[in-house]
């Protein structure tokens, strides 16, 4: 390094600027009125407020480091990173190693063998005079 590069400050990163702005807003105690501030197309005041709250929560360690006189780079290294989201079950695989698609809804009825034919019960005609019932008296 040459002597001119030693005293020369490095360029600001977008991350440093964002952390500094949030730190300045927090230090000054300024509340942003999201209802009167212009919102990007397709966004509303509530969504903007929620997004800013999430960003501030995620960068809180770095904001605290700036307010305590520390550097942002030291707080980035010290901050543990969260591993992503919920754990998912591994995809089921078939005999060929390919993942099997998940089935939804009711299971289909499968015909593994020939369907049973229901026997129709028929009533036999009785010959006249051979009834089990007593004959009517005249």
């Amino acid at each position: 390094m040459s002597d001119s590069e030693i005293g020369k400050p490095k360029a600001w990163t977008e991350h440093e600027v964002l952390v500094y702005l949030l730190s300045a807003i927090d230090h000054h105690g300024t509340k942003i009125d999201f209802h009167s501030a212009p919102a990007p197309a397709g966004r509303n005041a509530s969504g903007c407020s929620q997004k800013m709250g999430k960003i501030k929560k995620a960068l809180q360690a770095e904001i605290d480091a700036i307010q305590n006189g520390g550097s942002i780079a030291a707080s980035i290294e010290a901050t543990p990173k969260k591993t992503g989201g919920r754990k998912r079950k591994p995809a089921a695989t078939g005999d060929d190693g390919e993942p099997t698609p998940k089935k939804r809804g009711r299971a289909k009825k499968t015909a593994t063998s020939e369907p049973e034919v229901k026997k129709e019960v028929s009533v036999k005609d009785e010959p006249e005079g051979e009834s089990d019932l007593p004959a009517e008296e005249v």
Side-chain angles (χ1 to χ4, degrees):
M1 275 193 205
S2 66
D3 292 333
S4 62
E5 291 179 6
I6 293 174
K8 185 177 179 181
K10 63 178 185 160
W12 285 69
T13 64
E14 291 180 8
H15 184 78
E16 288 176 321
V17 172
L18 179 63
V19 171
Y20 174 72
L21 286 174
L22 290 174
S23 174
I25 291 169
D26 192 38
H27 178 73
H28 191 271
T30 305
K31 298 287 182 184
I32 300 172
D33 184 13
F34 290 101
H35 293 288
S36 64
R43 307 289 183 191
N44 58 23
S46 177
C48 293
S49 174
Q50 289 176 11
K51 186 64 175 176
M52 290 301 291
K54 287 180 183 178
I55 291 172
K56 184 177 176 187
K57 185 177 178 182
L59 300 175
Q60 191 61 49
E62 297 171 47
I63 293 169
D64 291 341
I66 288 178
Q67 291 177 351
N68 294 330
S71 71
I72 296 174
S75 65
I76 291 173
E77 293 170 3
T79 305
K81 295 193 177 194
K82 294 180 181 177
T83 55
R86 75 172 214 230
K87 295 180 181 177
R88 298 175 187 252
K89 293 180 183 177
T93 56
D95 295 335
D96 56 357
E98 293 292 318
T100 56
K102 291 185 178 182
K103 308 239 176 172
R104 297 186 67 172
R106 183 175 172 194
K108 304 250 184 214
K109 295 180 181 177
T110 57
T112 55
S113 62
E114 293 182 24
E116 294 180 21
V117 179
K118 293 184 179 180
K119 296 179 181 177
E120 292 185 25
V121 178
S122 60
V123 179
K124 292 182 179 178
D125 293 330
E126 294 183 16
E128 292 182 29
E130 294 185 17
S131 170
D132 291 338
L133 298 176
E136 291 183 27
E137 296 179 20
V138 189

